[in-house]
Amino acid sequence: MSHPLKVGAVVITMGNRPDELRALLDSVAQQEGDRVEVVVVGNGSPVPDVPEGVRTVELPENLGIPGGRNVGIEAFGPSGRDVDVLLFLDDDGLLAGHDTAELCRQAFTADPALGIISFRIADPETGDTQRRHVPRLRASDPMRSSRVTTFLGGANAVRTQVFAEVGGLPDAFFYAHEETDLAWRALDAGWMIDYRSDMVLYHPATAPSRHAVYHRMVARNRVWLARRNLPAPLVPVYLGVWMLLTLLRRPSRPALRAWFGGFREGWSTPCGPRRPMKWRTVWRLTRLGRPPVV
């Protein structure tokens, strides 16, 4: 008789949202089934008071989102091997239901090829899901679950075997596109990704551009993403499409200046190891509705 999958959770914090962090940790503690072990990583800041039993790691400097999450993964042993599944949750989020961890156990047990689950993010007051939080091109119906080609960084579950096979998140990205980098590597290794509308993280509606470094990081990391993962003929196509889309969105002059600065930086700085995906992975992404040119 098989044992239930062990589930852990990683939360990174800057220490500036203690009330929201406590509410999130309470929602994790209320999950049905076996206890979810939690690690909170203070990303260059002290960790606020947390409930008994929650482990903490305080980093002397801010390693960025992927770097902080990678530290959280390793807190569960190499590649997180002490547990079977890791939840990654924003510190100002809140699990809407008490069955999310149990639904994850069921999903990963039922489908051995499933590597990553992306939760639905909903505003706690309105229940609405922003279009950008549905990780597919056809995003008009956030209540439709489906196979997808990427996932949401602060509301997901990952089978730790994925990390053991393809590695963790790209530390150098710091912020933006680190999820797609991991998703593409996982898909290339044969894993699948699901978007599940019934697994909900409440999170206040926000704009990504609230981050001062948004435009530069998005452009730089988009170039790095292509250089690291795409077959050579697709690199200029992918980046050309995204440059056109950026221009069509008519950003402000300062934002556009920052974007082009990041784009140049993406070409002039090391992007990490290059492991282009197989052409059959390109075809798989295309069949899933998002060819790696957009």
Side-chain angles (χ1 to χ4, degrees), residues 216-253:
R216 181 177 69 85
M217 292 285 193
V218 161
R220 183 197 68 180
N221 293 359
R222 183 82 67 185
V223 177
W224 282 356
L225 179 69
R227 289 175 60 197
R228 285 163 57 92
N229 295 288
L230 290 181
L234 293 185
V235 173
V237 179
Y238 177 80
L239 295 177
V241 167
W242 275 103
M243 181 179 291
L244 178 61
L245 289 173
T246 299
L247 294 172
L248 289 174
R249 290 168 179 168
R250 301 173 66 88
S252 67
R253 185 168 295 182

Short mmCIF file of all heavy atoms in Angstrom, two decimals, residues 216-253:
data_model
loop_
_atom_site.label_atom_id
_atom_site.label_comp_id
_atom_site.label_asym_id
_atom_site.label_seq_id
_atom_site.Cartn_x
_atom_site.Cartn_y
_atom_site.Cartn_z
N ARG A 216 13.54 46.51 -17.20
CA ARG A 216 14.89 46.04 -17.52
C ARG A 216 15.02 44.54 -17.33
O ARG A 216 15.56 43.83 -18.19
CB ARG A 216 15.91 46.76 -16.64
CG ARG A 216 17.37 46.34 -16.94
CD ARG A 216 18.37 47.13 -16.11
NE ARG A 216 18.32 46.80 -14.70
CZ ARG A 216 18.99 45.78 -14.14
NH1 ARG A 216 19.73 44.99 -14.89
NH2 ARG A 216 18.92 45.55 -12.85
N MET A 217 14.51 44.04 -16.21
CA MET A 217 14.62 42.60 -15.92
C MET A 217 13.85 41.76 -16.93
O MET A 217 14.31 40.70 -17.38
CB MET A 217 14.13 42.31 -14.51
CG MET A 217 14.99 42.88 -13.40
SD MET A 217 16.51 41.96 -13.18
CE MET A 217 17.06 42.61 -11.62
N VAL A 218 12.65 42.21 -17.27
CA VAL A 218 11.83 41.46 -18.22
C VAL A 218 12.55 41.31 -19.56
O VAL A 218 12.58 40.23 -20.16
CB VAL A 218 10.46 42.15 -18.41
CG1 VAL A 218 9.78 41.69 -19.69
CG2 VAL A 218 9.56 41.86 -17.22
N ALA A 219 13.14 42.40 -20.04
CA ALA A 219 13.83 42.35 -21.33
C ALA A 219 15.12 41.53 -21.25
O ALA A 219 15.38 40.67 -22.10
CB ALA A 219 14.14 43.77 -21.79
N ARG A 220 15.94 41.79 -20.22
CA ARG A 220 17.20 41.05 -20.09
C ARG A 220 16.94 39.55 -19.98
O ARG A 220 17.56 38.73 -20.67
CB ARG A 220 17.96 41.53 -18.86
CG ARG A 220 19.33 40.87 -18.68
CD ARG A 220 19.86 41.04 -17.28
NE ARG A 220 19.08 40.29 -16.30
CZ ARG A 220 19.33 40.26 -14.99
NH1 ARG A 220 20.34 40.97 -14.51
NH2 ARG A 220 18.57 39.56 -14.17
N ASN A 221 16.01 39.19 -19.09
CA ASN A 221 15.77 37.77 -18.86
C ASN A 221 15.09 37.09 -20.04
O ASN A 221 15.24 35.89 -20.23
CB ASN A 221 14.95 37.58 -17.58
CG ASN A 221 15.71 37.98 -16.33
OD1 ASN A 221 16.88 38.37 -16.40
ND2 ASN A 221 15.07 37.91 -15.18
N ARG A 222 14.33 37.86 -20.83
CA ARG A 222 13.73 37.29 -22.04
C ARG A 222 14.85 36.85 -23.00
O ARG A 222 14.77 35.77 -23.61
CB ARG A 222 12.84 38.33 -22.71
CG ARG A 222 12.11 37.84 -23.94
CD ARG A 222 10.87 37.08 -23.63
NE ARG A 222 9.84 37.90 -23.03
CZ ARG A 222 8.68 37.41 -22.57
NH1 ARG A 222 8.45 36.11 -22.63
NH2 ARG A 222 7.77 38.20 -22.03
N VAL A 223 15.88 37.68 -23.13
CA VAL A 223 17.02 37.32 -23.98
C VAL A 223 17.74 36.11 -23.41
O VAL A 223 18.08 35.16 -24.13
CB VAL A 223 17.97 38.52 -24.15
CG1 VAL A 223 19.19 38.10 -24.99
CG2 VAL A 223 17.25 39.69 -24.81
N TRP A 224 18.00 36.14 -22.11
CA TRP A 224 18.67 35.00 -21.47
C TRP A 224 17.86 33.71 -21.66
O TRP A 224 18.42 32.65 -21.94
CB TRP A 224 18.86 35.27 -19.99
CG TRP A 224 20.00 36.19 -19.66
CD1 TRP A 224 20.91 36.73 -20.53
CD2 TRP A 224 20.37 36.65 -18.36
NE1 TRP A 224 21.81 37.51 -19.84
CE2 TRP A 224 21.51 37.48 -18.51
CE3 TRP A 224 19.85 36.46 -17.08
CZ2 TRP A 224 22.13 38.11 -17.44
CZ3 TRP A 224 20.46 37.09 -16.00
CH2 TRP A 224 21.59 37.90 -16.18
N LEU A 225 16.55 33.82 -21.48
CA LEU A 225 15.68 32.65 -21.63
C LEU A 225 15.85 32.03 -23.01
O LEU A 225 15.99 30.80 -23.15
CB LEU A 225 14.22 33.09 -21.42
CG LEU A 225 13.13 32.03 -21.55
CD1 LEU A 225 13.21 31.04 -20.40
CD2 LEU A 225 11.75 32.71 -21.57
N ALA A 226 15.84 32.87 -24.05
CA ALA A 226 15.99 32.37 -25.41
C ALA A 226 17.38 31.80 -25.65
O ALA A 226 17.54 30.71 -26.23
CB ALA A 226 15.71 33.50 -26.40
N ARG A 227 18.40 32.52 -25.20
CA ARG A 227 19.78 32.06 -25.42
C ARG A 227 20.04 30.73 -24.72
O ARG A 227 20.78 29.88 -25.24
CB ARG A 227 20.76 33.10 -24.92
CG ARG A 227 20.82 34.38 -25.75
CD ARG A 227 21.73 35.42 -25.10
NE ARG A 227 23.09 34.92 -24.93
CZ ARG A 227 24.00 35.47 -24.12
NH1 ARG A 227 23.68 36.53 -23.39
NH2 ARG A 227 25.21 34.96 -24.02
N ARG A 228 19.44 30.53 -23.56
CA ARG A 228 19.67 29.30 -22.78
C ARG A 228 18.91 28.10 -23.34
O ARG A 228 19.42 26.97 -23.30
CB ARG A 228 19.22 29.51 -21.33
CG ARG A 228 20.14 30.36 -20.49
CD ARG A 228 19.44 30.85 -19.22
NE ARG A 228 18.91 29.79 -18.38
CZ ARG A 228 19.58 29.22 -17.38
NH1 ARG A 228 20.80 29.62 -17.10
NH2 ARG A 228 19.02 28.27 -16.64
N ASN A 229 17.71 28.32 -23.87
CA ASN A 229 16.80 27.21 -24.06
C ASN A 229 16.33 26.93 -25.48
O ASN A 229 15.87 25.82 -25.76
CB ASN A 229 15.55 27.42 -23.21
CG ASN A 229 15.83 27.40 -21.72
OD1 ASN A 229 16.10 26.35 -21.15
ND2 ASN A 229 15.80 28.57 -21.09
N LEU A 230 16.39 27.89 -26.38
CA LEU A 230 15.78 27.70 -27.69
C LEU A 230 16.79 27.20 -28.72
O LEU A 230 17.97 27.60 -28.70
CB LEU A 230 15.17 29.00 -28.19
CG LEU A 230 13.92 29.48 -27.45
CD1 LEU A 230 13.40 30.77 -28.07
CD2 LEU A 230 12.82 28.42 -27.44
N PRO A 231 16.34 26.38 -29.67
CA PRO A 231 17.20 26.06 -30.82
C PRO A 231 17.60 27.35 -31.53
O PRO A 231 16.79 28.30 -31.61
CB PRO A 231 16.30 25.19 -31.70
CG PRO A 231 15.27 24.62 -30.77
CD PRO A 231 15.04 25.68 -29.73
N ALA A 232 18.80 27.41 -32.06
CA ALA A 232 19.35 28.65 -32.62
C ALA A 232 18.41 29.35 -33.62
O ALA A 232 18.27 30.58 -33.56
CB ALA A 232 20.71 28.37 -33.26
N PRO A 233 17.74 28.63 -34.54
CA PRO A 233 16.89 29.35 -35.51
C PRO A 233 15.71 30.07 -34.86
O PRO A 233 15.18 31.02 -35.43
CB PRO A 233 16.40 28.22 -36.44
CG PRO A 233 17.41 27.14 -36.31
CD PRO A 233 17.86 27.20 -34.87
N LEU A 234 15.29 29.64 -33.68
CA LEU A 234 14.12 30.24 -33.04
C LEU A 234 14.47 31.45 -32.18
O LEU A 234 13.58 32.22 -31.82
CB LEU A 234 13.39 29.21 -32.17
CG LEU A 234 12.71 28.05 -32.91
CD1 LEU A 234 11.93 27.20 -31.92
CD2 LEU A 234 11.80 28.56 -34.01
N VAL A 235 15.75 31.62 -31.83
CA VAL A 235 16.13 32.72 -30.94
C VAL A 235 15.75 34.08 -31.53
O VAL A 235 15.05 34.87 -30.88
CB VAL A 235 17.63 32.65 -30.58
CG1 VAL A 235 18.05 33.90 -29.81
CG2 VAL A 235 17.93 31.40 -29.76
N PRO A 236 16.15 34.40 -32.77
CA PRO A 236 15.77 35.72 -33.30
C PRO A 236 14.27 35.86 -33.54
O PRO A 236 13.73 36.96 -33.41
CB PRO A 236 16.56 35.81 -34.61
CG PRO A 236 16.87 34.41 -34.99
CD PRO A 236 17.03 33.67 -33.71
N VAL A 237 13.60 34.77 -33.86
CA VAL A 237 12.16 34.83 -34.08
C VAL A 237 11.44 35.16 -32.78
O VAL A 237 10.60 36.07 -32.71
CB VAL A 237 11.63 33.49 -34.66
CG1 VAL A 237 10.11 33.56 -34.87
CG2 VAL A 237 12.33 33.15 -35.96
N TYR A 238 11.77 34.43 -31.73
CA TYR A 238 11.16 34.65 -30.42
C TYR A 238 11.38 36.07 -29.93
O TYR A 238 10.45 36.77 -29.51
CB TYR A 238 11.74 33.64 -29.44
CG TYR A 238 11.28 33.77 -28.01
CD1 TYR A 238 10.04 33.26 -27.60
CD2 TYR A 238 12.09 34.37 -27.04
CE1 TYR A 238 9.63 33.37 -26.29
CE2 TYR A 238 11.69 34.48 -25.73
CZ TYR A 238 10.45 33.98 -25.35
OH TYR A 238 10.04 34.09 -24.04
N LEU A 239 12.63 36.53 -30.00
CA LEU A 239 12.94 37.86 -29.49
C LEU A 239 12.36 38.96 -30.38
O LEU A 239 11.95 40.02 -29.90
CB LEU A 239 14.45 38.02 -29.34
CG LEU A 239 15.08 37.10 -28.29
CD1 LEU A 239 16.59 37.26 -28.26
CD2 LEU A 239 14.50 37.36 -26.90
N GLY A 240 12.30 38.70 -31.68
CA GLY A 240 11.68 39.67 -32.58
C GLY A 240 10.20 39.83 -32.31
O GLY A 240 9.67 40.96 -32.32
N VAL A 241 9.51 38.73 -32.07
CA VAL A 241 8.08 38.78 -31.75
C VAL A 241 7.86 39.58 -30.48
O VAL A 241 6.96 40.44 -30.41
CB VAL A 241 7.51 37.36 -31.63
CG1 VAL A 241 6.11 37.39 -30.99
CG2 VAL A 241 7.44 36.69 -32.99
N TRP A 242 8.68 39.34 -29.46
CA TRP A 242 8.49 40.03 -28.18
C TRP A 242 8.86 41.50 -28.26
O TRP A 242 8.26 42.33 -27.58
CB TRP A 242 9.24 39.31 -27.06
CG TRP A 242 8.41 38.19 -26.52
CD1 TRP A 242 8.55 36.86 -26.76
CD2 TRP A 242 7.24 38.32 -25.70
NE1 TRP A 242 7.56 36.15 -26.13
CE2 TRP A 242 6.75 37.02 -25.47
CE3 TRP A 242 6.59 39.40 -25.14
CZ2 TRP A 242 5.62 36.78 -24.70
CZ3 TRP A 242 5.46 39.16 -24.36
CH2 TRP A 242 4.99 37.87 -24.15
N MET A 243 9.81 41.84 -29.12
CA MET A 243 10.11 43.26 -29.31
C MET A 243 8.92 43.95 -29.96
O MET A 243 8.52 45.06 -29.55
CB MET A 243 11.36 43.42 -30.18
CG MET A 243 11.74 44.88 -30.40
SD MET A 243 13.23 45.10 -31.40
CE MET A 243 14.48 44.47 -30.28
N LEU A 244 8.31 43.32 -30.96
CA LEU A 244 7.14 43.88 -31.61
C LEU A 244 5.98 44.04 -30.63
O LEU A 244 5.31 45.08 -30.59
CB LEU A 244 6.73 43.01 -32.79
CG LEU A 244 5.48 43.44 -33.57
CD1 LEU A 244 5.67 44.82 -34.17
CD2 LEU A 244 5.15 42.42 -34.65
N LEU A 245 5.73 43.00 -29.82
CA LEU A 245 4.65 43.07 -28.84
C LEU A 245 4.88 44.20 -27.84
O LEU A 245 3.95 44.89 -27.44
CB LEU A 245 4.51 41.73 -28.11
CG LEU A 245 3.95 40.57 -28.93
CD1 LEU A 245 4.03 39.27 -28.14
CD2 LEU A 245 2.50 40.84 -29.35
N THR A 246 6.13 44.37 -27.44
CA THR A 246 6.46 45.44 -26.49
C THR A 246 6.15 46.80 -27.10
O THR A 246 5.55 47.67 -26.44
CB THR A 246 7.94 45.35 -26.08
OG1 THR A 246 8.17 44.09 -25.43
CG2 THR A 246 8.31 46.48 -25.11
N LEU A 247 6.53 47.00 -28.34
CA LEU A 247 6.28 48.28 -29.01
C LEU A 247 4.78 48.53 -29.20
O LEU A 247 4.30 49.67 -29.06
CB LEU A 247 7.01 48.32 -30.35
CG LEU A 247 8.55 48.32 -30.27
CD1 LEU A 247 9.15 48.16 -31.66
CD2 LEU A 247 9.06 49.58 -29.60
N LEU A 248 4.04 47.47 -29.51
CA LEU A 248 2.60 47.62 -29.71
C LEU A 248 1.88 48.02 -28.43
O LEU A 248 0.80 48.63 -28.48
CB LEU A 248 2.01 46.32 -30.27
CG LEU A 248 2.38 45.98 -31.71
CD1 LEU A 248 1.86 44.60 -32.09
CD2 LEU A 248 1.83 47.04 -32.68
N ARG A 249 2.44 47.67 -27.29
CA ARG A 249 1.83 48.04 -26.01
C ARG A 249 2.08 49.50 -25.63
O ARG A 249 1.56 49.97 -24.62
CB ARG A 249 2.36 47.11 -24.90
CG ARG A 249 1.85 45.68 -25.05
CD ARG A 249 2.58 44.70 -24.15
NE ARG A 249 2.05 43.36 -24.30
CZ ARG A 249 2.65 42.26 -23.82
NH1 ARG A 249 3.79 42.39 -23.15
NH2 ARG A 249 2.10 41.07 -23.99
N ARG A 250 2.89 50.19 -26.42
CA ARG A 250 3.12 51.62 -26.27
C ARG A 250 3.53 52.01 -24.85
O ARG A 250 2.84 52.81 -24.17
CB ARG A 250 1.88 52.41 -26.70
CG ARG A 250 1.47 52.16 -28.14
CD ARG A 250 0.14 52.82 -28.46
NE ARG A 250 0.24 54.25 -28.39
CZ ARG A 250 0.61 55.02 -29.40
NH1 ARG A 250 0.93 54.47 -30.56
NH2 ARG A 250 0.66 56.33 -29.27
N PRO A 251 4.63 51.45 -24.35
CA PRO A 251 5.10 51.84 -23.01
C PRO A 251 5.58 53.28 -23.01
O PRO A 251 5.86 53.86 -24.07
CB PRO A 251 6.24 50.85 -22.74
CG PRO A 251 6.73 50.48 -24.10
CD PRO A 251 5.52 50.47 -24.99
N SER A 252 5.72 53.84 -21.82
CA SER A 252 6.23 55.20 -21.71
C SER A 252 7.68 55.24 -22.19
O SER A 252 8.36 54.21 -22.29
CB SER A 252 6.16 55.67 -20.26
OG SER A 252 7.07 54.93 -19.45
N ARG A 253 8.18 56.45 -22.48
CA ARG A 253 9.55 56.58 -22.96
C ARG A 253 10.56 56.05 -21.95
O ARG A 253 11.48 55.32 -22.33
CB ARG A 253 9.83 58.04 -23.32
CG ARG A 253 11.21 58.25 -23.95
CD ARG A 253 11.34 59.63 -24.55
NE ARG A 253 10.42 59.80 -25.67
CZ ARG A 253 10.35 60.90 -26.41
NH1 ARG A 253 11.13 61.93 -26.12
NH2 ARG A 253 9.50 60.98 -27.40
#
